[in-house]
Amino acid sequence: MKTLSTIFLSIILIIGFSAGAVSAKIKLTYNNYFPPTHMTSKMSEQWCKEIEKRTNGEVKIQHFAGGQLLQADKVFEGVVQGIADIGFSNLAYTRGRFPEMEICDLPLGMPSGWVSSHVADAFYHKYQPKEFDKAKMLYFSACGPNLISTTVKPVRTLEDLKGQTLRATGRIADTAAALGATARPMGIGETYEAVKRNVISGVMLPLETMKGFRLGELLKYCTANWQVGNVYTFYAVMNKRKWDSLPENIQKVFEEVNAEYVEKMAEGWNQIDIAGAEFFKSKGGKVIQLSDEEALKWNQAVKPVIDTYIQEMSKVGLSADEINSRIAFIKETRNEFAKTQAAKGIPMPYAE
């Protein structure tokens, strides 16, 4: 017959084993510099909830929008340091920090955010640039083509860009200058007031900003220069130590959700470009299409931007042949996804 002390000890052991069988929650933080109303913030918050759902609540991720933990230019290093466990940002805010990946921001004729997102993801997985090795890469996405929009003077030809001062940052600033405009780098949050106060005469931004940042209230003309088609490439990364500490089954869930969000983000960028175009037109904005002949002139004008990039990359040990090979891969992948977009009936946002 068991003594009372033996029974009591057995109960304690059972309780202990039961408690040990239930894993403690893994608590993480996610920082997105976009405001909470923006598609990217909504998507990153949904990503967090999807991770929580598929891990049955074992992982809990607190989402911070509006750069509450880290501003756009501090995201990557902040994640590496552990200020935030996960972060979402844009290559252009830290120009030169990710030189190999910045090839995706060159004027290579991206026709839509759906295409550019898939191209960025494909490029990363093929070439695996080591510049992201200090963190765990989650997924890439990219906005639609940066189009030229102005307040007073419509832009139909290269000559019309003379005297225009446009908001443009990163590699997009190089493109604006090559086309004949004056580039004015600034944060997206500063742009509305800059346009309103005539500090700049226009922007080189995707259509989604017409609604997402209310620029369609001020801008009157939008030139659909998608044939130049350079974009902003975005990334989501995780602190490497946190990633390595996750159980293998949890990591598997993350990877599954990451793969799905490449497509979700691609769709999201395309949808908000369409919404931006509709908002712009509802305010009386006019979309201007380039003729094939004019588009060819624009492509010739931005060739020096690509040449300069090739020269810059020679300093980090990549030959002109290697960079040209990568550009060829991007263009081929772009064409493949453009055909897929057309086959799926996904609309082009800048269509008249």
Side-chain angles (χ1 to χ4, degrees):
M1 183 175 177
K2 293 182 179 180
T3 63
L4 287 174
S5 59
T6 303
I7 294 171
F8 181 73
L9 180 59
S10 298
I11 292 171
I12 293 297
L13 290 171
I14 291 169
I15 292 172
F17 284 127
S18 298
V22 179
S23 300
K25 284 187 176 179
I26 300 167
K27 296 182 179 180
L28 303 170
T29 56
Y30 190 130
N31 181 89
N32 190 325
Y33 74 92
F34 276 99
T37 54
H38 194 270
M39 180 276 294
T40 60
S41 286
K42 292 178 180 178
M43 283 288 191
S44 54
E45 189 168 18
Q46 288 174 20
W47 181 91
C48 295
K49 291 178 179 178
E50 192 63 27
I51 294 290
E52 293 173 19
K53 177 183 175 182
R54 296 196 197 182
T55 59
N56 297 315
E58 187 173 347
V59 177
K60 176 71 176 176
I61 308 174
Q62 188 173 5
H63 185 262
F64 293 90
Q68 295 178 62
L69 300 180
L70 296 161
Q71 292 301 307
D73 61 339
K74 307 296 182 184
V75 168
F76 187 81
E77 292 303 328
V79 167
V80 170
Q81 295 167 17
I83 298 172
D85 297 314
I86 304 166
F88 182 91
S89 194
N90 176 337
L91 300 180
Y93 281 110
T94 50
R95 178 170 175 164
R97 177 63 183 80
F98 308 106
E100 289 188 56
M101 201 67 199
E102 284 176 13
I103 195 172
C104 294
D105 283 0
L106 294 179
L108 298 175
M110 294 298 158
S112 70
W114 191 88
V115 170
S116 60
S117 290
H118 284 291
V119 169
D121 180 69
F123 178 85
Y124 177 79
H125 283 95
K126 180 172 176 62
Y127 293 101
Q128 297 284 316
K130 293 182 179 180
E131 55 206 26
F132 287 96
D133 283 358
K134 289 169 68 177
K136 162 63 181 174
M137 175 50 59
L138 300 178
Y139 58 85
F140 279 96
S141 70
C143 67
N146 283 268
L147 307 181
I148 291 173
S149 301
T150 54
T151 52
V152 177
K153 181 182 177 182
V155 174
R156 295 185 175 87
T157 67
L158 282 176
E159 289 71 25
D160 294 331
L161 280 165
K162 293 177 181 177
Q164 299 276 9
T165 301
L166 307 177
R167 185 273 185 190
T169 63
R171 299 284 172 183
I172 285 74
D174 295 349
T175 299
L179 292 171
T182 299
R184 185 76 176 267
M186 64 179 64
I188 187 63
E190 308 167 55
T191 305
Y192 184 92
E193 285 300 316
V195 174
K196 186 176 181 179
R197 295 177 182 178
N198 296 317
V199 174
I200 54 178
S201 59
V203 301
M204 196 166 182
L205 283 167
L207 280 168
E208 65 95 358
T209 58
M210 293 293 188
K211 183 176 182 180
F213 293 91
R214 298 171 29 240
L215 294 176
E217 298 173 354
L218 306 173
L219 298 164
K220 303 301 180 186
Y221 305 98
C222 175
T223 304
N225 52 289
W226 62 269
Q227 295 93 334
V228 172
N230 52 346
V231 300
Y232 287 115
T233 303
F234 298 83
Y235 59 85
V237 291
M238 184 174 181
N239 178 275
K240 204 164 190 178
R241 291 184 300 277
K242 284 284 187 178
W243 171 258
D244 290 341
S245 72
L246 297 178
E248 188 175 339
N249 65 313
I250 298 296
Q251 290 183 347
K252 183 179 179 182
V253 170
F254 272 71
E255 297 289 24
E256 289 172 353
V257 176
N258 293 338
E260 293 171 14
Y261 267 73
V262 173
E263 174 63 18
K264 287 181 180 291
M265 291 295 291
E267 292 174 351
W269 283 115
N270 204 67
Q271 288 166 2
I272 60 175
D273 261 2
I274 291 171
E278 292 174 350
F279 180 82
F280 174 64
K281 292 174 183 177
S282 75
K283 296 296 181 180
K286 177 177 176 56
V287 177
I288 299 167
Q289 303 290 338
L290 293 181
S291 66
D292 291 343
E293 182 181 1
E294 187 63 27
L296 184 60
K297 292 180 183 178
W298 288 49
N299 278 317
Q300 288 297 318
V302 299
K303 191 176 181 299
V305 176
I306 299 170
D307 294 339
T308 297
Y309 175 81
I310 292 172
Q311 293 170 10
E312 290 175 3
M313 294 309 293
S314 67
K315 298 176 184 177
V316 298
L318 289 174
S319 68
D321 286 345
E322 175 61 21
I323 295 302
N324 282 320
S325 175
R326 294 185 181 194
I327 289 173
F329 170 80
I330 288 175
K331 289 182 176 180
E332 181 181 350
T333 308
R334 173 203 66 192
N335 293 342
E336 290 174 0
F337 279 111
K339 290 177 183 177
T340 302
Q341 178 171 355
K344 288 188 172 184
I346 301 172
M348 291 295 184
Y350 42 76
E352 289 182 301

